[in-house]
Amino acid sequence: MSNSTASFQEIQDQFNDCRQILTAIGDEVRQSILVTLMQNTCKEGMRVGEITAHTHLSRPAVSHHLKVMKDAGIVRMRKEGTMTFYHINVDAFEPLKKLVMLVDETMERHY
């Protein structure tokens, strides 16, 4: 396998690894929720009701989108008694960083 072919295969593999994350963050409603989480309390987290108050979404809609993001690994939840707090899992974005770097490096070499 040539260097070029290996580079493109590595990019394809990285896209495959990032598919669930890309799907989760590709939705503008989920992007809005992520921005809300970033703006308010990245480390402590926010409850569904708090997120609802900062967005135009209903509680069930917020819960649904949080589940999608939780399943993709980009949001984590923490329980305190009966309260559930959601926060961004910053480590989950490492594969995306790697993908962007691979694409950038490959574009620099080939174009």
Side-chain angles (χ1 to χ4, degrees), residues 76-109:
R76 288 186 176 159
M77 60 182 261
R78 172 179 53 83
K79 289 218 177 244
E80 282 185 20
T82 60
M83 298 183 293
T84 303
F85 295 87
Y86 292 89
H87 62 277
I88 295 171
N89 175 13
V90 293
D91 295 334
F93 290 91
E94 287 301 318
L96 285 179
K97 290 179 190 177
K98 182 178 178 183
L99 173 61
V100 170
M101 286 177 25
L102 284 170
V103 169
D104 185 55
E105 291 167 3
T106 302
M107 295 296 282
E108 288 290 326
R109 277 195 309 268

Side-chain angles (χ1 to χ4, degrees), residues 49-68:
E50 295 170 315
I51 297 168
T52 300
H54 285 89
T55 63
H56 65 283
L57 303 168
S58 66
R59 288 179 69 93
V62 168
S63 293
H64 164 75
H65 288 292
L66 285 169
K67 181 183 180 331
V68 171

Side-chain angles (χ1 to χ4, degrees), residues 19 24 36 42 52 54 67 71:
R19 183 169 287 124
T36 298
C42 277
T52 300
H54 285 89
K67 181 183 180 331
D71 290 347

Side-chain angles (χ1 to χ4, degrees), residues 14-44:
Q14 197 62 32
F15 267 117
N16 290 337
D17 290 346
C18 292
R19 183 169 287 124
Q20 193 174 13
I21 296 168
L22 289 167
T23 299
I25 65 172
D27 181 277
E28 75 180 74
V29 172
R30 291 191 280 274
Q31 292 167 8
S32 173
I33 292 171
L34 283 172
V35 169
T36 298
L37 288 170
M38 285 183 228
Q39 288 174 325
N40 289 284
T41 53
C42 277
K43 291 186 180 181
E44 294 83 25

